[in-house]
Amino acid sequence: MNVIETVGITKKFGEFTANDSIDLTVRKGEIKAIVGENGAGKSTLMNMLYGLLTPTSGKILIHEKEVHFSSPLDAIQAGLGMVHQHFKLVPSLTVCENIVLGIEMNREVKGVRLPFLNGKKQLQKVQQAIDRFGFELNAADRVEDLSVGLRQRVEIMKMLYRDVDILILDEPTAVLTPQEAEELIENLKRLKEQGKTIIVITHKLGEVMSLSDSVTVIKRGKVVGNVETKDTSERELAQMMVGRDVVLRVSKEQTEISGAPVYELRNISTTNTMGKEVLSDVSLSVRKGEILGVAGVEGNGQSELLKVLTGLMTVTKGSVLMEDKDITNRWPADIRDAGVGMIHEDRYAQGLCRTMDLKENAIAGYHGRSDVCASTGLLRSQAIRSKRDDMIRDFDIRVADPEGSVSQLSGGNAQKLIIAREFSSNPKVVIASQPTRGVDVGSIEFIHNRILDLAKKGVGVILISSELSEVMSLSDRIAVMYKGRIIGQVDAASVTKEEIGLLMAGIKEASGA
């Protein structure tokens, strides 16, 4: 039995066709993966299923009955829930309060509902639901104290608590560590065993192969393939997505790196707003043309290291040097002026402004440079448009309207806009944190090659990534972080994945580091 069926679903935005006559079927109790390049139309299709968008034409059937959703509430009432890539939680509230937000339980006296919440009974009921689905959450914990992986579980529980039978997840592992991703996959498999039907939008083909029962491939708004997972491979899926063979594992030439460091951290320490030391005596250096990878389980100081490197966090001890010039605790603008390009881990929090248009984002952080700003302080509109158009062309950024805002871009194309801006700024050093997070396989290949091209041109690169395979394949050296310290530095060409894994677990003797 098909629990979801779309017949000729089409969605147009003006002259742009995001979805073109899509036929999709999802069987009851299966895990269906939806894959495709950034901007292929995957999220648009899911947003129509969830009532966030209205189809231009075509039909949606749920449990073999045609439906017309005007809002997500309609979809939830029909048993369909969606977990978005970017969490929609209130950090200051508890797990319980986030899960029941909008459907709170009121206190009753002799059958009369009072205008007061029954907090104790609500907490008990939510915890029972959490335990039933095996999500290992404490309903009383505040969301702001949870790891990213636990927050993902809260988002899923919000839907499960509303008794949905069909669960849509948009890039569910994009911000998770490898360990958290594995735990999520096991949770989803358990939900399937309990009778849930799951649709997963993802770029990670390894996860598709290990998680899904069937795969639908979308390319430029059209379905180009429907396959059973057991009958396909990562390479075949990548070829369908991109329309050509894709190199899934980067091949890096090992070169001898010599010379003085172009960028250096000397015994850096810093504390957070609560006075806790989050970086302790960190020393790193990168030379011209070198790629220094920074690995570690997320939450071991990588985010704080990035903030220190980009001027968003104050150093309490130690110094940061750029070509032997002290740039410790400088503003981000000063650090950029010194020749440092910055790719932040959260593209929307620090990398882009959604309400600004593409051309404004294309020069953000570099808007004072003479090529786009006159000596009078007025911006050169035509020069900025030309720069934007060059980035769109050279970095294959898929846009419906070049004059539109960043909010129109898919997550992967938004990421490519940041990379285009930073790589085009003639940097001496690039600090790249999670550069391929939420990006499709074709774009990952493209970004990896651009990073290698930068290094060949003599640019030093500090690569901070939770994707261990990415760090190992691109780096010349790898520094491993553990509890705010550099626990070891190893040669990328000779170290094994197991040795780095031991270092990430805090076992310093793993590779003689």
Side-chain angles (χ1 to χ4, degrees), residues 440-472:
D440 64 63
V441 289
S443 297
I444 288 172
E445 179 193 35
F446 180 87
I447 292 168
H448 283 173
N449 286 329
R450 286 298 181 125
I451 290 173
L452 293 175
D453 288 343
L454 273 185
K456 288 176 183 177
K457 293 174 183 176
V459 177
V461 179
I462 298 177
L463 172 66
I464 305 171
S465 177
S466 59
E467 296 288 344
L468 189 52
S469 59
E470 182 171 66
V471 172
M472 293 185 70

PDB file of all heavy atoms in Angstrom, residues 440-472:
ATOM      1  N   ASP A 440      25.645  18.773  -1.847  1.00  0.00           N
ATOM      2  CA  ASP A 440      25.508  17.536  -2.603  1.00  0.00           C
ATOM      3  C   ASP A 440      26.854  17.027  -3.119  1.00  0.00           C
ATOM      4  O   ASP A 440      27.863  17.747  -3.100  1.00  0.00           O
ATOM      5  CB  ASP A 440      24.523  17.713  -3.762  1.00  0.00           C
ATOM      6  CG  ASP A 440      25.007  18.726  -4.791  1.00  0.00           C
ATOM      7  OD1 ASP A 440      26.050  18.500  -5.422  1.00  0.00           O
ATOM      8  OD2 ASP A 440      24.327  19.755  -4.977  1.00  0.00           O
ATOM      9  N   VAL A 441      26.862  15.778  -3.618  1.00  0.00           N
ATOM     10  CA  VAL A 441      28.127  15.122  -3.973  1.00  0.00           C
ATOM     11  C   VAL A 441      28.877  15.845  -5.085  1.00  0.00           C
ATOM     12  O   VAL A 441      30.103  15.936  -5.057  1.00  0.00           O
ATOM     13  CB  VAL A 441      27.904  13.645  -4.366  1.00  0.00           C
ATOM     14  CG1 VAL A 441      27.555  12.812  -3.162  1.00  0.00           C
ATOM     15  CG2 VAL A 441      26.846  13.506  -5.456  1.00  0.00           C
ATOM     16  N   GLY A 442      28.134  16.360  -6.075  1.00  0.00           N
ATOM     17  CA  GLY A 442      28.799  17.091  -7.139  1.00  0.00           C
ATOM     18  C   GLY A 442      29.457  18.360  -6.627  1.00  0.00           C
ATOM     19  O   GLY A 442      30.582  18.701  -7.018  1.00  0.00           O
ATOM     20  N   SER A 443      28.773  19.055  -5.715  1.00  0.00           N
ATOM     21  CA  SER A 443      29.321  20.288  -5.145  1.00  0.00           C
ATOM     22  C   SER A 443      30.470  19.992  -4.183  1.00  0.00           C
ATOM     23  O   SER A 443      31.408  20.778  -4.074  1.00  0.00           O
ATOM     24  CB  SER A 443      28.219  21.074  -4.428  1.00  0.00           C
ATOM     25  OG  SER A 443      27.221  21.466  -5.338  1.00  0.00           O
ATOM     26  N   ILE A 444      30.389  18.864  -3.470  1.00  0.00           N
ATOM     27  CA  ILE A 444      31.497  18.475  -2.590  1.00  0.00           C
ATOM     28  C   ILE A 444      32.765  18.287  -3.409  1.00  0.00           C
ATOM     29  O   ILE A 444      33.843  18.796  -3.055  1.00  0.00           O
ATOM     30  CB  ILE A 444      31.156  17.185  -1.820  1.00  0.00           C
ATOM     31  CG1 ILE A 444      30.101  17.465  -0.747  1.00  0.00           C
ATOM     32  CG2 ILE A 444      32.407  16.580  -1.168  1.00  0.00           C
ATOM     33  CD1 ILE A 444      29.570  16.221  -0.071  1.00  0.00           C
ATOM     34  N   GLU A 445      32.641  17.568  -4.511  1.00  0.00           N
ATOM     35  CA  GLU A 445      33.791  17.374  -5.402  1.00  0.00           C
ATOM     36  C   GLU A 445      34.333  18.721  -5.870  1.00  0.00           C
ATOM     37  O   GLU A 445      35.549  18.963  -5.863  1.00  0.00           O
ATOM     38  CB  GLU A 445      33.367  16.520  -6.599  1.00  0.00           C
ATOM     39  CG  GLU A 445      34.484  16.274  -7.596  1.00  0.00           C
ATOM     40  CD  GLU A 445      33.973  15.694  -8.911  1.00  0.00           C
ATOM     41  OE1 GLU A 445      32.860  16.075  -9.335  1.00  0.00           O
ATOM     42  OE2 GLU A 445      34.680  14.879  -9.511  1.00  0.00           O
ATOM     43  N   PHE A 446      33.433  19.632  -6.250  1.00  0.00           N
ATOM     44  CA  PHE A 446      33.817  20.952  -6.729  1.00  0.00           C
ATOM     45  C   PHE A 446      34.556  21.735  -5.636  1.00  0.00           C
ATOM     46  O   PHE A 446      35.616  22.327  -5.878  1.00  0.00           O
ATOM     47  CB  PHE A 446      32.560  21.700  -7.171  1.00  0.00           C
ATOM     48  CG  PHE A 446      32.794  23.096  -7.686  1.00  0.00           C
ATOM     49  CD1 PHE A 446      33.098  23.312  -9.015  1.00  0.00           C
ATOM     50  CD2 PHE A 446      32.718  24.193  -6.835  1.00  0.00           C
ATOM     51  CE1 PHE A 446      33.318  24.601  -9.495  1.00  0.00           C
ATOM     52  CE2 PHE A 446      32.928  25.475  -7.301  1.00  0.00           C
ATOM     53  CZ  PHE A 446      33.225  25.679  -8.643  1.00  0.00           C
ATOM     54  N   ILE A 447      33.992  21.753  -4.422  1.00  0.00           N
ATOM     55  CA  ILE A 447      34.595  22.509  -3.324  1.00  0.00           C
ATOM     56  C   ILE A 447      35.951  21.925  -2.943  1.00  0.00           C
ATOM     57  O   ILE A 447      36.921  22.660  -2.702  1.00  0.00           O
ATOM     58  CB  ILE A 447      33.641  22.542  -2.111  1.00  0.00           C
ATOM     59  CG1 ILE A 447      32.408  23.383  -2.442  1.00  0.00           C
ATOM     60  CG2 ILE A 447      34.342  23.088  -0.867  1.00  0.00           C
ATOM     61  CD1 ILE A 447      31.280  23.250  -1.444  1.00  0.00           C
ATOM     62  N   HIS A 448      36.046  20.602  -2.882  1.00  0.00           N
ATOM     63  CA  HIS A 448      37.333  19.970  -2.564  1.00  0.00           C
ATOM     64  C   HIS A 448      38.403  20.372  -3.577  1.00  0.00           C
ATOM     65  O   HIS A 448      39.545  20.693  -3.201  1.00  0.00           O
ATOM     66  CB  HIS A 448      37.177  18.452  -2.544  1.00  0.00           C
ATOM     67  CG  HIS A 448      36.513  17.942  -1.307  1.00  0.00           C
ATOM     68  ND1 HIS A 448      36.146  16.625  -1.140  1.00  0.00           N
ATOM     69  CD2 HIS A 448      36.135  18.565  -0.159  1.00  0.00           C
ATOM     70  CE1 HIS A 448      35.588  16.457   0.044  1.00  0.00           C
ATOM     71  NE2 HIS A 448      35.566  17.620   0.653  1.00  0.00           N
ATOM     72  N   ASN A 449      38.046  20.368  -4.852  1.00  0.00           N
ATOM     73  CA  ASN A 449      39.020  20.746  -5.879  1.00  0.00           C
ATOM     74  C   ASN A 449      39.415  22.213  -5.752  1.00  0.00           C
ATOM     75  O   ASN A 449      40.579  22.572  -5.994  1.00  0.00           O
ATOM     76  CB  ASN A 449      38.461  20.460  -7.276  1.00  0.00           C
ATOM     77  CG  ASN A 449      38.455  18.974  -7.604  1.00  0.00           C
ATOM     78  OD1 ASN A 449      39.308  18.226  -7.137  1.00  0.00           O
ATOM     79  ND2 ASN A 449      37.502  18.545  -8.412  1.00  0.00           N
ATOM     80  N   ARG A 450      38.468  23.060  -5.363  1.00  0.00           N
ATOM     81  CA  ARG A 450      38.789  24.484  -5.167  1.00  0.00           C
ATOM     82  C   ARG A 450      39.740  24.679  -3.986  1.00  0.00           C
ATOM     83  O   ARG A 450      40.627  25.534  -4.025  1.00  0.00           O
ATOM     84  CB  ARG A 450      37.504  25.292  -4.946  1.00  0.00           C
ATOM     85  CG  ARG A 450      36.683  25.506  -6.206  1.00  0.00           C
ATOM     86  CD  ARG A 450      37.455  26.308  -7.245  1.00  0.00           C
ATOM     87  NE  ARG A 450      36.707  26.546  -8.451  1.00  0.00           N
ATOM     88  CZ  ARG A 450      36.492  27.751  -8.971  1.00  0.00           C
ATOM     89  NH1 ARG A 450      36.969  28.826  -8.379  1.00  0.00           N
ATOM     90  NH2 ARG A 450      35.822  27.875 -10.098  1.00  0.00           N
ATOM     91  N   ILE A 451      39.545  23.908  -2.935  1.00  0.00           N
ATOM     92  CA  ILE A 451      40.458  23.984  -1.784  1.00  0.00           C
ATOM     93  C   ILE A 451      41.859  23.551  -2.202  1.00  0.00           C
ATOM     94  O   ILE A 451      42.863  24.194  -1.848  1.00  0.00           O
ATOM     95  CB  ILE A 451      39.934  23.117  -0.626  1.00  0.00           C
ATOM     96  CG1 ILE A 451      38.669  23.748  -0.015  1.00  0.00           C
ATOM     97  CG2 ILE A 451      40.999  22.950   0.462  1.00  0.00           C
ATOM     98  CD1 ILE A 451      37.985  22.885   1.023  1.00  0.00           C
ATOM     99  N   LEU A 452      41.945  22.478  -2.971  1.00  0.00           N
ATOM    100  CA  LEU A 452      43.255  22.003  -3.452  1.00  0.00           C
ATOM    101  C   LEU A 452      43.893  23.031  -4.386  1.00  0.00           C
ATOM    102  O   LEU A 452      45.110  23.248  -4.336  1.00  0.00           O
ATOM    103  CB  LEU A 452      43.094  20.663  -4.172  1.00  0.00           C
ATOM    104  CG  LEU A 452      42.669  19.476  -3.293  1.00  0.00           C
ATOM    105  CD1 LEU A 452      42.427  18.242  -4.145  1.00  0.00           C
ATOM    106  CD2 LEU A 452      43.721  19.182  -2.218  1.00  0.00           C
ATOM    107  N   ASP A 453      43.070  23.679  -5.215  1.00  0.00           N
ATOM    108  CA  ASP A 453      43.607  24.723  -6.105  1.00  0.00           C
ATOM    109  C   ASP A 453      44.172  25.894  -5.303  1.00  0.00           C
ATOM    110  O   ASP A 453      45.216  26.468  -5.659  1.00  0.00           O
ATOM    111  CB  ASP A 453      42.506  25.234  -7.044  1.00  0.00           C
ATOM    112  CG  ASP A 453      42.131  24.216  -8.119  1.00  0.00           C
ATOM    113  OD1 ASP A 453      42.923  23.283  -8.343  1.00  0.00           O
ATOM    114  OD2 ASP A 453      41.045  24.370  -8.717  1.00  0.00           O
ATOM    115  N   LEU A 454      43.465  26.271  -4.218  1.00  0.00           N
ATOM    116  CA  LEU A 454      43.971  27.348  -3.358  1.00  0.00           C
ATOM    117  C   LEU A 454      45.352  27.007  -2.814  1.00  0.00           C
ATOM    118  O   LEU A 454      46.265  27.834  -2.830  1.00  0.00           O
ATOM    119  CB  LEU A 454      43.011  27.572  -2.181  1.00  0.00           C
ATOM    120  CG  LEU A 454      41.829  28.516  -2.322  1.00  0.00           C
ATOM    121  CD1 LEU A 454      41.134  28.649  -0.982  1.00  0.00           C
ATOM    122  CD2 LEU A 454      42.241  29.883  -2.832  1.00  0.00           C
ATOM    123  N   ALA A 455      45.492  25.780  -2.319  1.00  0.00           N
ATOM    124  CA  ALA A 455      46.769  25.352  -1.752  1.00  0.00           C
ATOM    125  C   ALA A 455      47.874  25.374  -2.810  1.00  0.00           C
ATOM    126  O   ALA A 455      49.012  25.782  -2.531  1.00  0.00           O
ATOM    127  CB  ALA A 455      46.635  23.962  -1.147  1.00  0.00           C
ATOM    128  N   LYS A 456      47.543  24.957  -4.037  1.00  0.00           N
ATOM    129  CA  LYS A 456      48.537  24.965  -5.113  1.00  0.00           C
ATOM    130  C   LYS A 456      49.013  26.372  -5.432  1.00  0.00           C
ATOM    131  O   LYS A 456      50.134  26.574  -5.894  1.00  0.00           O
ATOM    132  CB  LYS A 456      47.946  24.318  -6.374  1.00  0.00           C
ATOM    133  CG  LYS A 456      47.788  22.808  -6.283  1.00  0.00           C
ATOM    134  CD  LYS A 456      47.117  22.252  -7.535  1.00  0.00           C
ATOM    135  CE  LYS A 456      46.892  20.748  -7.416  1.00  0.00           C
ATOM    136  NZ  LYS A 456      46.166  20.215  -8.601  1.00  0.00           N
ATOM    137  N   LYS A 457      48.134  27.347  -5.181  1.00  0.00           N
ATOM    138  CA  LYS A 457      48.497  28.751  -5.424  1.00  0.00           C
ATOM    139  C   LYS A 457      49.266  29.367  -4.252  1.00  0.00           C
ATOM    140  O   LYS A 457      49.549  30.568  -4.248  1.00  0.00           O
ATOM    141  CB  LYS A 457      47.241  29.569  -5.699  1.00  0.00           C
ATOM    142  CG  LYS A 457      46.545  29.195  -6.999  1.00  0.00           C
ATOM    143  CD  LYS A 457      45.227  29.935  -7.154  1.00  0.00           C
ATOM    144  CE  LYS A 457      44.490  29.523  -8.413  1.00  0.00           C
ATOM    145  NZ  LYS A 457      43.163  30.164  -8.530  1.00  0.00           N
ATOM    146  N   GLY A 458      49.533  28.556  -3.221  1.00  0.00           N
ATOM    147  CA  GLY A 458      50.308  29.039  -2.090  1.00  0.00           C
ATOM    148  C   GLY A 458      49.493  29.557  -0.929  1.00  0.00           C
ATOM    149  O   GLY A 458      50.037  30.133   0.021  1.00  0.00           O
ATOM    150  N   VAL A 459      48.171  29.368  -0.954  1.00  0.00           N
ATOM    151  CA  VAL A 459      47.314  29.803   0.154  1.00  0.00           C
ATOM    152  C   VAL A 459      47.346  28.742   1.252  1.00  0.00           C
ATOM    153  O   VAL A 459      47.207  27.547   0.975  1.00  0.00           O
ATOM    154  CB  VAL A 459      45.867  30.022  -0.328  1.00  0.00           C
ATOM    155  CG1 VAL A 459      44.957  30.407   0.838  1.00  0.00           C
ATOM    156  CG2 VAL A 459      45.826  31.093  -1.416  1.00  0.00           C
ATOM    157  N   GLY A 460      47.534  29.168   2.481  1.00  0.00           N
ATOM    158  CA  GLY A 460      47.458  28.250   3.608  1.00  0.00           C
ATOM    159  C   GLY A 460      46.002  28.022   3.982  1.00  0.00           C
ATOM    160  O   GLY A 460      45.196  28.959   3.970  1.00  0.00           O
ATOM    161  N   VAL A 461      45.636  26.782   4.290  1.00  0.00           N
ATOM    162  CA  VAL A 461      44.245  26.452   4.614  1.00  0.00           C
ATOM    163  C   VAL A 461      44.175  25.732   5.953  1.00  0.00           C
ATOM    164  O   VAL A 461      44.915  24.767   6.183  1.00  0.00           O
ATOM    165  CB  VAL A 461      43.617  25.543   3.523  1.00  0.00           C
ATOM    166  CG1 VAL A 461      42.171  25.199   3.902  1.00  0.00           C
ATOM    167  CG2 VAL A 461      43.670  26.216   2.157  1.00  0.00           C
ATOM    168  N   ILE A 462      43.314  26.237   6.845  1.00  0.00           N
ATOM    169  CA  ILE A 462      42.997  25.531   8.085  1.00  0.00           C
ATOM    170  C   ILE A 462      41.598  24.957   7.902  1.00  0.00           C
ATOM    171  O   ILE A 462      40.631  25.702   7.787  1.00  0.00           O
ATOM    172  CB  ILE A 462      43.067  26.443   9.314  1.00  0.00           C
ATOM    173  CG1 ILE A 462      44.488  26.983   9.495  1.00  0.00           C
ATOM    174  CG2 ILE A 462      42.625  25.687  10.569  1.00  0.00           C
ATOM    175  CD1 ILE A 462      44.649  27.957  10.651  1.00  0.00           C
ATOM    176  N   LEU A 463      41.509  23.636   7.831  1.00  0.00           N
ATOM    177  CA  LEU A 463      40.261  22.941   7.549  1.00  0.00           C
ATOM    178  C   LEU A 463      39.728  22.297   8.818  1.00  0.00           C
ATOM    179  O   LEU A 463      40.300  21.342   9.331  1.00  0.00           O
ATOM    180  CB  LEU A 463      40.492  21.875   6.470  1.00  0.00           C
ATOM    181  CG  LEU A 463      39.335  20.917   6.177  1.00  0.00           C
ATOM    182  CD1 LEU A 463      38.153  21.668   5.575  1.00  0.00           C
ATOM    183  CD2 LEU A 463      39.795  19.800   5.250  1.00  0.00           C
ATOM    184  N   ILE A 464      38.615  22.826   9.334  1.00  0.00           N
ATOM    185  CA  ILE A 464      37.965  22.269  10.519  1.00  0.00           C
ATOM    186  C   ILE A 464      36.723  21.525  10.039  1.00  0.00           C
ATOM    187  O   ILE A 464      35.827  22.132   9.456  1.00  0.00           O
ATOM    188  CB  ILE A 464      37.565  23.371  11.517  1.00  0.00           C
ATOM    189  CG1 ILE A 464      38.778  24.228  11.894  1.00  0.00           C
ATOM    190  CG2 ILE A 464      36.937  22.769  12.770  1.00  0.00           C
ATOM    191  CD1 ILE A 464      38.441  25.474  12.711  1.00  0.00           C
ATOM    192  N   SER A 465      36.679  20.218  10.250  1.00  0.00           N
ATOM    193  CA  SER A 465      35.567  19.444   9.717  1.00  0.00           C
ATOM    194  C   SER A 465      35.247  18.257  10.609  1.00  0.00           C
ATOM    195  O   SER A 465      36.143  17.619  11.162  1.00  0.00           O
ATOM    196  CB  SER A 465      35.898  18.951   8.305  1.00  0.00           C
ATOM    197  OG  SER A 465      34.864  18.131   7.798  1.00  0.00           O
ATOM    198  N   SER A 466      33.935  17.974  10.719  1.00  0.00           N
ATOM    199  CA  SER A 466      33.512  16.792  11.459  1.00  0.00           C
ATOM    200  C   SER A 466      33.502  15.560  10.564  1.00  0.00           C
ATOM    201  O   SER A 466      33.289  14.444  11.036  1.00  0.00           O
ATOM    202  CB  SER A 466      32.107  17.012  12.044  1.00  0.00           C
ATOM    203  OG  SER A 466      31.174  17.280  11.020  1.00  0.00           O
ATOM    204  N   GLU A 467      33.731  15.768   9.254  1.00  0.00           N
ATOM    205  CA  GLU A 467      33.822  14.658   8.305  1.00  0.00           C
ATOM    206  C   GLU A 467      35.261  14.170   8.278  1.00  0.00           C
ATOM    207  O   GLU A 467      36.125  14.770   7.643  1.00  0.00           O
ATOM    208  CB  GLU A 467      33.382  15.113   6.906  1.00  0.00           C
ATOM    209  CG  GLU A 467      31.935  15.534   6.804  1.00  0.00           C
ATOM    210  CD  GLU A 467      30.983  14.345   6.879  1.00  0.00           C
ATOM    211  OE1 GLU A 467      31.438  13.202   6.712  1.00  0.00           O
ATOM    212  OE2 GLU A 467      29.780  14.581   7.109  1.00  0.00           O
ATOM    213  N   LEU A 468      35.526  13.075   8.968  1.00  0.00           N
ATOM    214  CA  LEU A 468      36.893  12.586   9.100  1.00  0.00           C
ATOM    215  C   LEU A 468      37.498  12.231   7.752  1.00  0.00           C
ATOM    216  O   LEU A 468      38.682  12.484   7.500  1.00  0.00           O
ATOM    217  CB  LEU A 468      36.922  11.372  10.035  1.00  0.00           C
ATOM    218  CG  LEU A 468      38.300  10.866  10.462  1.00  0.00           C
ATOM    219  CD1 LEU A 468      39.153  11.985  11.031  1.00  0.00           C
ATOM    220  CD2 LEU A 468      38.146   9.734  11.472  1.00  0.00           C
ATOM    221  N   SER A 469      36.702  11.662   6.849  1.00  0.00           N
ATOM    222  CA  SER A 469      37.220  11.309   5.525  1.00  0.00           C
ATOM    223  C   SER A 469      37.661  12.556   4.768  1.00  0.00           C
ATOM    224  O   SER A 469      38.639  12.533   4.016  1.00  0.00           O
ATOM    225  CB  SER A 469      36.161  10.556   4.720  1.00  0.00           C
ATOM    226  OG  SER A 469      34.986  11.343   4.569  1.00  0.00           O
ATOM    227  N   GLU A 470      36.956  13.666   4.958  1.00  0.00           N
ATOM    228  CA  GLU A 470      37.311  14.928   4.320  1.00  0.00           C
ATOM    229  C   GLU A 470      38.644  15.449   4.844  1.00  0.00           C
ATOM    230  O   GLU A 470      39.520  15.852   4.067  1.00  0.00           O
ATOM    231  CB  GLU A 470      36.199  15.951   4.582  1.00  0.00           C
ATOM    232  CG  GLU A 470      36.403  17.296   3.944  1.00  0.00           C
ATOM    233  CD  GLU A 470      35.162  18.163   4.068  1.00  0.00           C
ATOM    234  OE1 GLU A 470      34.804  18.543   5.209  1.00  0.00           O
ATOM    235  OE2 GLU A 470      34.543  18.461   3.033  1.00  0.00           O
ATOM    236  N   VAL A 471      38.804  15.417   6.156  1.00  0.00           N
ATOM    237  CA  VAL A 471      40.052  15.877   6.768  1.00  0.00           C
ATOM    238  C   VAL A 471      41.230  15.026   6.304  1.00  0.00           C
ATOM    239  O   VAL A 471      42.293  15.541   5.943  1.00  0.00           O
ATOM    240  CB  VAL A 471      39.943  15.844   8.312  1.00  0.00           C
ATOM    241  CG1 VAL A 471      41.287  16.117   8.952  1.00  0.00           C
ATOM    242  CG2 VAL A 471      38.921  16.863   8.794  1.00  0.00           C
ATOM    243  N   MET A 472      41.033  13.710   6.278  1.00  0.00           N
ATOM    244  CA  MET A 472      42.137  12.812   5.936  1.00  0.00           C
ATOM    245  C   MET A 472      42.530  12.910   4.467  1.00  0.00           C
ATOM    246  O   MET A 472      43.708  12.805   4.122  1.00  0.00           O
ATOM    247  CB  MET A 472      41.765  11.372   6.286  1.00  0.00           C
ATOM    248  CG  MET A 472      41.617  11.120   7.777  1.00  0.00           C
ATOM    249  SD  MET A 472      41.321   9.391   8.190  1.00  0.00           S
ATOM    250  CE  MET A 472      42.910   8.654   7.807  1.00  0.00           C
TER     251      MET A 472
END
